[in-house]
Amino acid sequence: MDFGLVLQNDPPAARVIDLCKRAESYGFSHAWTFDSHLLWEEPYVIYSRILNETHKLIVGPMVTNPATRDWTVTASLFATLNEMYGNRTICGIGRGDSAVRVINGTPVRIAEMREAIAVIRGLANGEAVDYKGTTLRLPWSPDSRLPIWVAAYGPKMLALTGEIGDGFILQLADPDITAWSIAAVRNAAEEAGRDPASVTICVAAPAYVTDGTEAGLAHGRDQCRWFGGMVGNHVADIVARYGGDGAAVPTALTDYIAEREGYDYNEHGRAGNTHTAFVPDAIIDRFCLIGPPETQIERLNELADLGVDQFALYLQHDDKDATLRSYGEQVIPAVNRRAAAKL
């Protein structure tokens, strides 16, 4: 299993860059950041420094969207980084949440997602594309290559992911919901005539390594409760569209938002978010990885057995350094055991 790190671009940017450098030394293969231009610093500027100060690390947004940047600008950003650093970028993309809603926008429609992915991926892979009735290409970066991983929860986005995505990002680590979501993506891929195994599966969720005590567990839960609120934003849209009776989406994903009363994007993705009191402990335990290393290893092995190719660790809490170190020294080596030198 590959491991990724997900960060917010909080200043100072040097701290983000330092965490990414240490993550690579601990065996992480990917560094992801939020892409919300008003809430945090501009990610693509920071990616350039991360790439310059690491060796193999792959960087990208978790996730960007088609609404806040012209699609050709997004493609150009990736192609430029690829020309400079040798195809070490990846594009996570969704319909739009914080970056869009803070400016009073709305998530894009599925048809627009499909068109945007085709344009961004085509241009960033050295191809000519049709855009607004004109055929365009980036003639200065013919060797650029960009995989696009689609973030999805609802049935239509899961289907789109299976049809056209290079990868699938599921932002929670509940095994039952993961199994259901992977099946939906793979079924859509097969119906589209693709090899279902060609879609890379990424589960992204907060991890908090504790000392195994009840007090440590309670503190870790409170530090990660924000994640249930963030997921709840997407779930609320799904419930509004499909209902919450379990016919289209598992009730395990939708039931918990019944007490949700609103959301303040000024606290988006932050530990201590005051708008996430509705998120129960049971949801935190299902959606996140909280506990001592052996507990985390057990969940990660369960996810790997379901077909998860990468676990991307959201590191938004008060113990970033210790969790990163525990993953590098204990968790990753246990999940990815080295083969014996002598057979």
Side-chain angles (χ1 to χ4, degrees):
M1 178 184 282
D2 286 338
F3 285 83
L5 185 68
V6 188
L7 301 170
Q8 294 167 339
N9 292 311
D10 276 318
R15 172 68 164 152
V16 176
I17 296 161
D18 176 64
L19 285 168
C20 291
K21 290 166 64 176
R22 285 193 285 134
E24 183 179 52
S25 73
Y26 281 135
F28 287 77
S29 61
H30 289 66
W32 306 87
T33 74
F34 285 46
D35 180 8
S36 196
H37 56 290
L38 291 173
L39 298 179
W40 298 287
E41 293 182 322
E42 173 59 37
Y44 295 92
V45 179
I46 298 173
Y47 294 159
S48 188
R49 283 287 305 276
I50 295 170
L51 290 166
N52 191 58
E53 297 188 27
T54 56
H55 303 283
K56 297 181 180 179
L57 204 65
I58 297 169
V59 304
M62 186 175 285
V63 295
T64 193
N65 69 85
T68 53
R69 287 185 180 88
D70 184 274
W71 307 341
T72 62
V73 172
T74 300
S76 181
L77 287 166
F78 283 110
T80 300
L81 291 172
N82 283 340
E83 186 278 323
M84 293 172 67
Y85 299 104
N87 291 336
R88 289 169 54 200
T89 66
I90 189 167
C91 178
I93 192 167
R95 296 176 57 225
D97 184 30
S98 60
V100 175
R101 297 185 195 271
V102 166
I103 57 176
N104 295 325
T106 57
V108 302
R109 296 180 179 275
I110 302 295
E112 190 173 358
M113 274 291 297
R114 184 187 297 276
E115 293 174 6
I117 290 171
V119 169
I120 295 168
R121 180 164 52 196
L123 288 175
N125 280 282
E127 302 168 3
V129 303
D130 180 72
Y131 182 65
K132 297 183 179 180
T134 301
T135 301
L136 302 172
R137 64 189 177 105
L138 299 175
W140 41 265
S141 189
D143 298 323
S144 170
R145 296 296 178 265
L146 178 70
I148 293 191
W149 293 9
V150 184
Y153 293 108
K156 290 185 178 180
M157 277 297 294
L158 291 169
L160 179 71
T161 303
E163 292 169 17
I164 66 173
D166 298 306
F168 163 48
I169 297 171
L170 177 64
Q171 291 164 303
L172 54 81
D174 176 83
D176 291 338
I177 297 172
T178 298
W180 177 85
S181 302
I182 291 174
V185 169
R186 287 179 171 168
N187 288 339
E190 188 170 13
E191 290 176 2
R194 304 179 66 197
D195 177 3
S198 68
V199 183
T200 304
I201 307 296
C202 174
V203 159
Y208 196 106
V209 177
T210 74
D211 59 4
T213 65
E214 284 299 317
L217 175 61
H219 181 74
R221 284 170 173 161
D222 284 342
Q223 285 292 302
C224 296
R225 200 172 304 276
W226 64 267
F227 186 70
M230 187 186 83
V231 173
N233 293 332
H234 302 285
V235 173
D237 287 344
I238 293 169
V239 170
R241 178 178 293 271
Y242 299 103
D245 59 2
V249 180
T251 56
L253 178 59
T254 59
D255 279 355
Y256 84 98
I257 68 164
E259 303 300 321
R260 180 179 181 270
E261 295 180 351
Y263 193 80
D264 183 356
Y265 277 93
N266 288 314
E267 298 183 90
H268 184 60
R270 299 189 184 279
N273 187 323
T274 59
H275 292 78
T276 58
F278 72 94
V279 182
D281 287 349
I283 286 292
I284 304 306
D285 292 345
R286 284 170 39 204
F287 285 12
C288 306
L289 277 68
I290 303 173
E294 56 269 24
T295 299
Q296 311 238 354
I297 293 164
E298 182 179 1
R299 175 73 69 85
L300 289 164
N301 284 331
E302 186 177 2
L303 293 171
D305 289 342
L306 293 173
V308 174
D309 300 297
Q310 180 180 143
F311 175 68
L313 187 167
Y314 279 92
L315 201 64
Q316 284 81 49
H317 52 59
D318 65 356
D319 208 12
K320 295 179 178 65
D321 295 325
T323 293
L324 188 61
R325 183 175 63 252
S326 292
Y327 260 72
E329 296 180 352
Q330 297 172 275
V331 177
I332 294 176
V335 173
N336 295 332
R337 293 187 180 277
R338 294 175 61 180
K342 184 175 182 180
L343 303 181

